[in-house]
Amino acid sequence: MAVEALKPDFADTGEQLEKQSASHKQEQVGRATFRVWRGDSTGGKLVDYTTQVTEGMVVLDAIHQIQADQANDLAVRWNCKAGKCGSCSAEVNGNPRLMCMTRLNDLNLEEPVTVEPMRAFPAVRDLVTDVSWNFTVKKRIKRFKPRPPDAPDGTWRMAQADIGRVQEFRKCIECYLCQDVCHVLRDHHKHDSFIGPRFLVYVAALEMHPLDTENRIAELKEAHGVGYCNITKCCTAVCPENITITDNAIIPLKERVVDEFFDPIARLVRLVRGKR
Amino acid sequence: MTDYQTHDHDVLVIGAGGAGLRAAIEAAASGVSVGLVCKSLLGKAHTVMAEGGVAAALANVDDRDNWRVHFADTMRGGQYVNNWRMAELHAREAPERVRELEAWGALFDRTDDGRILQRNFGGHRYPRLAHVGDRTGLEMIRTLQDHGVHQGIDVHMEVTILSLLMDGDRVAGAFGYDRERGRFRLFRAKAVVLATGGIGRAYSITSNSWEYTGDGHALAYHAGAALQDMEFVQFHPTGMVWPPSVRGILVTEGVRGEGGVLKNREGRRFMFDDIPENYRSQTADTPEEGWSYTQGDKNARRPPELLTRDHVARCIVREVREGRGSPHGGVYLDIAWIKERLPKAAEHIRRKLPSMYHQFKQLADIDITTTPMEVGPTTHYIMGGIRVDGDTQMSTVPGLYAAGECAAGLHGANRLGGNSLSDLLVFGKRAGEFAAKFAKEAHDTRIDAGQLEETAAIALEPFSRNGSPGEGPFQVQQDLQTMMQDLVGIVRTDSEMQRALEGIGKLGDRARRAGVQGNREYNPGWHTALDLPNLLTISEAITRSAIERKESRGGHFRDDYQDKDPAFGINVLVRKGAGGEMQLSREAIPALPPELKQIIEEMK
């Protein structure tokens, strides 16, 4: 099984990588060893593969080379190879990363590079995990519900300044690295009562959309379990799109829940207005 | 008959990029049951990589724009071998399709007065591309996906289709396998929509992912449908060239739309050296005028960097071949220079082109706000594809529809940037609408058990061949890619393409011998082996069509026939002959109706 215990705190991942890269930035051309997890839902082990390294290579290139030359059946998901589709998520030396955006010259190649699947999801085979839970969660979130068009041409007007925050959330490529690193899911397995950072960002994008009229606050508190997040910001640290998940999405949602359910004045207003 | 896991749908959509999703949404909205097959996970399809924008004559930025100008631009860009009916419908309907996305939650960048912002792109007369920075495709696919999951569509993720099932001359469903367990799946359907995208994996330098193996083209061909104009492959002028591992990754045309310029190693803006006659009146005379255009000056004409993609790609090839290229065999694309003209230029670039900034910084150690990028052509798109009816998107096989990149017609010999995302929306919707209509009126179909057994047996053959080290499916695929790049690439000649045909034959033999290791569960070696026959079929179709078209037009450039020949103002068709051989024919294009002809004349 995994040689390296998963690091308890991912918040310093970026910094670690930078430190590593400072000492290994020189051009590396030669051979390197990749310690890749091979197995399925019943278990598996790390297997060493040595392959040629050339300038500019990323971890996904090395995996593809191994697949083509040594292990045709090495399972890996990938599509765009440019950080846009979020398919090739894995744990490289214990750090949740997109393999296509992890340069080999940012890693210490004097040691074997460990490549494992995302550990918060059930193993399917090798580097491929079962992420289907994420698709069922999204379906449970109330859909976008715009107000009726109110511009003369039958559409809407929105100022750029009012959509910037939501556009940040909509950069999400659904790589699920934030779900992988979130201890509420990874360690405490609260999949039935917590939707995870990805979908809190999704709810935030809907809630802050200038046209949306739906109210998702009650579900956020109950079914979506926003209260489970204790703001360790591990998700923000691993986001390849640099979305400030905790500060910009989750904390404002927590505040909305507090305003709605725990603010005595708001409670009084609700009583008077006869709402919930 | 073996008891396969079976799914029944009125309409089966194969492919879950923009076109497939839009088709599925439309079909479901009309009340029929819909199945959607994705080769990857939902939301990861190629549309997600589209960058620059979606073309629609909304006229938000320049009120001189309208569908007629968009139609004329599309026909001019396609060198008049387009399906004019599709070009008309596309130009007329694209604005409504874009506004519809907004109603489903998409958030495009805004104009100062709060409407959808539009940007300049090659071959479009006015700023026409609705966009979200340089991640428009992500916005589109996510909007369609998030809308679609509430429409009652059955989504089958990570399933690959091996063959279309026929009942007589009519389509009756599809047969494939799931990647996770390697089990066969039977889909019974009254109508099938192909939305499988393109063929980029037939080439070694490409912006396309592993999925792009021409599956829909090959499925349709073997089901008896006609393919059209397969010789028209688009080589996007600006892909990354260095380091080697990122070669081919797309650099959006949006960089040029925002003022980026192309230079050779001598620092010369070589695009001013060769401006085609039919674009001369629309092209800037000076760098100054070109810059004004990119900054929204309505009286200025566009810089030559924004000529059509086929032309820009050939100019880059010329510079490199004549020894004026950059160190790694490309040319320079410089957006950093705009700091001479704009205050806070670095910030502006990062805001307008965030993915490009990110991509070069992370993959090439280059800061595009200070340093020019090295770029060169990359296989990007195929204009040709399944021949369809312009209104309904039905192929020449009853009940079989095609939309998006795998369908032919809209783009003629060369596609304009931004016309792909609008193509997906306009014709995805139409395909879904008419497939549902067909399904409602159709009788039940009968599945031929023999066809299933045969397909399953062939699919399992690679396991019985074990595979020898050094000759697996990956090696055959790589050799095919290298050969197609060398012999049927940007510049083509008869003798090289004849060699390619021979090569395809030999590679076919090798593919039939290549074995795979391991078992059926999520086995990429096996998947690659099963994709190979499709790649070989479409490579042959491209090559034979390219030999047939003895002229140069749009994306198809012949060194031995360098000029456009009016006699080739036709479509080249490919069909499977009775003996299994590939048959080619030339098909005249119906005459333009007078009102469309007049638009083209007016805007010459």
Side-chain angles (χ1 to χ4, degrees):
Chain A
M1 283 301 294
V3 250
E4 194 177 11
L6 282 153
K7 294 186 178 58
D9 181 8
F10 289 92
D12 58 355
T13 296
E15 203 183 320
Q16 282 172 4
L17 273 174
E18 266 167 38
K19 273 186 204 152
Q20 283 185 9
S21 86
S23 55
H24 300 285
K25 204 86 191 183
Q26 75 280 19
E27 287 312 333
Q28 287 153 326
V29 179
R31 295 180 78 75
T33 298
F34 293 82
R35 187 160 283 174
V36 184
W37 193 84
R38 302 293 312 264
D40 55 28
S41 57
T42 61
K45 61 176 194 292
L46 291 161
V47 180
D48 283 2
Y49 298 94
T50 300
T51 193
Q52 192 69 29
V53 171
T54 53
E55 191 183 344
M57 261 173 78
V58 294
V59 172
L60 185 61
D61 292 319
I63 295 294
H64 279 157
Q65 231 166 258
I66 291 163
Q67 190 184 56
D69 301 337
Q70 304 174 50
N72 282 187
D73 61 346
L74 170 57
V76 58
R77 276 198 188 104
W78 70 283
N79 281 58
C80 75
K81 215 177 147 330
K84 294 184 171 69
C85 75
S87 300
C88 63
S89 306
E91 297 182 5
V92 179
N93 286 344
N95 300 313
R97 306 276 298 173
L98 293 179
M99 285 186 276
C100 72
M101 298 302 277
T102 306
R103 293 272 298 266
L104 293 185
N105 62 3
D106 287 338
L107 302 169
N108 177 8
L109 298 185
E110 283 151 28
E111 304 278 326
V113 175
T114 308
V115 187
E116 297 169 277
M118 289 192 286
R119 291 300 189 183
F121 298 108
V124 170
R125 192 181 177 83
D126 304 338
L127 300 176
V128 174
T129 56
D130 178 0
V131 293
S132 57
W133 171 76
N134 293 289
F135 291 90
T136 60
V137 169
K138 189 184 245 186
K139 231 174 162 168
R140 295 207 313 261
I141 295 166
K142 281 186 192 160
R143 66 192 301 177
F144 175 65
K145 192 169 132 191
R147 65 168 193 254
D150 44 18
D153 58 357
T155 65
W156 298 269
R157 299 287 177 269
M158 285 180 269
Q160 185 65 43
D162 295 333
I163 65 167
R165 176 56 51 82
V166 182
Q167 285 189 327
E168 181 197 355
F169 301 151
R170 292 181 68 90
K171 286 195 306 186
C172 172
I173 57 175
E174 300 196 330
C175 64
Y176 306 128
L177 288 173
C178 59
Q179 307 286 71
D180 182 47
V181 79
C182 175
H183 61 99
V184 181
L185 299 171
R186 186 181 185 110
D187 302 327
H188 303 291
H189 309 288
K190 294 284 183 194
H191 294 78
D192 292 335
S193 43
F194 181 60
I195 60 175
R198 159 59 192 134
F199 295 105
L200 290 172
V201 167
Y202 181 63
V203 174
L206 289 164
E207 285 288 307
M208 298 181 201
H209 194 300
L211 304 183
D212 184 70
T213 57
E214 188 57 87
N215 184 337
R216 301 169 187 82
I217 303 300
E219 289 93 325
L220 263 180
K221 177 168 171 281
E222 304 297 335
H224 302 340
V226 69
Y228 280 108
C229 167
N230 59 359
I231 322 185
T232 52
K233 302 195 183 184
C234 307
C235 52
T236 305
V238 300
C239 178
E241 286 291 313
N242 301 312
I243 301 171
T244 31
I245 302 174
T246 318
D247 290 352
N248 287 353
I250 300 181
I251 292 176
L253 290 181
K254 281 174 171 283
E255 287 169 354
R256 288 184 185 205
V257 170
V258 169
D259 288 349
E260 181 92 8
F261 290 97
F262 303 107
D263 179 346
I265 296 170
R267 203 179 266 178
L268 192 67
V269 171
R270 271 202 306 278
L271 266 178
V272 175
R273 287 195 182 159
K275 276 174 77 181
R276 255 196 318 228
Chain B
M1 180 166 110
T2 314
D3 195 13
Y4 298 111
Q5 191 178 343
T6 303
H7 310 275
D8 285 290
H9 303 291
D10 292 321
V11 174
L12 179 70
V13 181
I14 303 171
L21 273 162
R22 189 63 190 81
I25 288 169
E26 195 64 21
S30 76
V32 300
S33 72
V34 180
L36 177 63
V37 169
C38 326
K39 198 168 175 180
S40 288
L41 295 175
L42 183 62
K44 308 298 184 194
H46 230 277
T47 305
V48 82
M49 294 165 67
E51 292 164 356
V54 45
L58 296 160
N60 287 354
V61 171
D62 194 319
D63 57 16
R64 293 171 296 182
D65 202 11
N66 58 56
W67 78 265
R68 302 165 84 247
V69 189
H70 193 181
F71 167 77
D73 286 351
T74 301
M75 293 294 292
R76 188 186 303 108
Q79 308 251 3
Y80 306 105
V81 289
N82 320 52
N83 176 327
W84 47 258
R85 178 61 176 159
M86 285 174 77
E88 179 194 1
L89 290 170
H90 167 255
R92 282 181 185 272
E93 295 176 4
E96 192 46 41
R97 295 286 81 77
V98 170
R99 285 192 283 262
E100 186 173 71
L101 285 184
E102 191 161 78
W104 294 348
L107 278 176
F108 293 101
D109 289 349
R110 316 308 295 181
T111 61
D112 288 341
D113 66 347
R115 294 185 296 169
I116 295 172
L117 181 62
Q118 298 180 274
R119 69 156 48 118
N120 290 311
F121 238 57
H124 292 283
R125 178 172 288 203
Y126 303 119
R128 189 176 285 149
L129 269 67
H131 61 278
V132 187
D134 52 6
R135 55 163 192 87
T136 315
L138 172 67
E139 186 71 13
M140 259 185 60
I141 198 165
R142 202 65 82 228
T143 301
L144 292 169
Q145 173 191 345
D146 295 351
H147 183 76
V149 296
H150 296 288
Q151 303 300 102
I153 299 162
D154 287 326
V155 181
H156 307 278
M157 287 191 234
E158 297 196 309
V159 169
T160 303
I161 297 300
L162 293 165
S163 72
L164 293 176
L165 304 173
M166 304 299 290
D167 181 1
D169 64 350
R170 230 193 91 185
V171 75
F175 187 68
Y177 65 94
D178 68 70
R179 297 164 72 73
E180 185 170 332
R181 295 273 164 249
R183 290 169 303 206
F184 292 114
R185 302 271 200 103
L186 166 60
F187 299 89
R188 286 195 290 237
K190 294 176 184 165
V192 173
V193 179
L194 293 170
T196 53
I199 56 89
R201 280 281 139 182
Y203 290 83
S204 56
I205 301 173
T206 177
S207 63
N208 294 174
S209 84
W210 68 272
E211 296 186 292
Y212 261 34
T213 50
D215 296 3
H217 299 83
L219 290 169
Y221 169 78
H222 291 299
L227 304 180
Q228 171 181 319
D229 296 339
M230 292 294 285
E231 66 279 20
F232 293 135
V233 175
Q234 179 166 80
F235 299 91
H236 192 292
T238 58
M240 294 177 78
V241 298
W242 191 259
S245 78
V246 299
R247 186 156 197 157
I249 294 179
L250 191 67
V251 180
T252 177
E253 194 166 318
V255 175
R256 285 168 280 148
E258 297 296 340
V261 298
L262 290 166
K263 290 179 184 167
N264 63 18
R265 72 190 303 161
E266 295 153 6
R268 182 176 174 80
R269 268 183 84 177
F270 56 88
M271 287 307 300
F272 275 104
D273 297 345
D274 177 9
I275 296 167
E277 202 45 53
N278 58 340
Y279 280 97
R280 193 170 296 278
S281 66
Q282 298 185 7
T283 307
D285 288 330
T286 62
E288 194 56 46
E289 185 183 1
W291 168 250
S292 301
Y293 174 89
T294 64
Q295 298 312 296
D297 179 350
K298 291 184 180 178
N299 297 315
R301 292 168 300 174
R302 64 174 160 250
E305 275 84 0
L306 290 176
L307 285 163
T308 52
R309 289 175 174 177
D310 52 341
H311 179 75
V312 180
R314 273 193 300 278
C315 289
I316 292 173
V317 170
R318 179 194 67 215
E319 291 303 305
V320 175
R321 284 196 175 182
E322 293 175 7
R324 294 185 296 273
S326 65
H328 302 106
V331 294
Y332 294 107
L333 172 60
D334 188 3
I335 182 76
W337 82 275
I338 67 171
K339 60 179 178 271
E340 296 165 20
R341 301 298 178 96
L342 281 184
K344 294 189 186 164
E347 196 184 309
H348 178 80
I349 294 166
R350 281 196 296 268
R351 187 164 52 80
K352 286 290 186 181
L353 303 162
S355 322
M356 289 305 106
Y357 175 75
H358 203 58
Q359 185 172 309
F360 274 89
K361 192 90 182 154
Q362 274 191 277
L363 295 176
D365 292 325
I366 281 175
D367 180 349
I368 66 168
T369 67
T370 59
T371 312
M373 298 158 250
E374 262 189 274
V375 296
T378 179
T379 313
H380 186 54
Y381 190 88
I382 184 159
M383 278 69 73
I386 301 159
R387 183 173 173 86
V388 292
D389 173 73
D391 285 83
T392 65
Q393 297 288 290
M394 191 160 87
S395 71
T396 55
V397 169
L400 181 63
Y401 295 77
E405 186 172 353
C406 73
L410 170 60
H411 310 294
N414 174 63
R415 176 174 70 81
L416 300 184
N419 270 2
S420 177
L421 291 184
S422 41
D423 174 9
L424 307 181
L425 296 173
V426 169
F427 295 107
K429 176 188 181 287
R430 282 185 163 266
E433 178 185 339
F434 286 95
K437 190 162 177 280
F438 184 95
K440 282 181 188 170
E441 293 162 2
H443 304 294
D444 284 339
T445 49
R446 212 180 48 82
I447 302 287
D448 173 8
Q451 194 190 347
L452 302 184
E453 300 298 325
E454 192 191 342
T455 307
I458 293 171
L460 293 175
E461 274 175 12
F463 288 109
S464 62
R465 296 194 289 257
N466 290 322
S468 57
E471 181 65 345
F474 291 102
Q475 280 71 32
V476 181
Q477 193 194 52
Q478 280 165 15
D479 289 351
L480 174 67
Q481 291 165 338
T482 307
M483 190 196 74
M484 288 297 287
Q485 189 79 39
D486 289 348
L487 302 180
V488 200
I490 302 177
V491 178
R492 301 164 172 176
T493 63
D494 187 73
S495 58
E496 287 186 340
M497 292 191 288
Q498 297 295 351
R499 273 168 53 209
L501 277 185
E502 266 173 55
I504 290 166
K506 286 179 192 156
L507 286 159
D509 294 339
R510 281 175 60 193
R512 280 184 288 277
R513 285 197 303 268
V516 298
Q517 314 150 349
N519 62 33
R520 285 163 68 172
E521 291 179 10
Y522 220 112
N523 185 338
W526 184 40
H527 306 155
T528 302
L530 296 179
D531 287 343
L532 270 178
N534 295 344
L535 274 178
L536 288 159
T537 300
I538 54 106
S539 296
E540 184 182 343
I542 292 168
T543 308
R544 288 195 187 279
S545 303
I547 291 170
E548 179 74 8
R549 190 174 283 280
K550 294 174 178 55
E551 63 154 359
S552 292
R553 187 187 293 258
H556 173 69
F557 184 81
R558 291 278 301 253
D559 215 16
D560 43 359
Y561 299 94
Q562 297 197 0
D563 297 320
K564 187 155 86 176
D565 178 352
F568 275 98
I570 47 102
N571 297 131
V572 174
L573 300 194
V574 175
R575 278 197 184 87
K576 191 174 179 177
E581 78 290 357
M582 208 171 260
Q583 291 182 339
L584 274 82
S585 60
R586 298 178 188 182
E587 184 86 12
I589 297 171
L592 275 163
E595 64 273 24
L596 295 182
K597 196 170 186 172
Q598 193 190 339
I599 294 171
I600 289 171
E601 290 303 323
E602 274 171 24
M603 305 209 185
K604 269 228 158 109

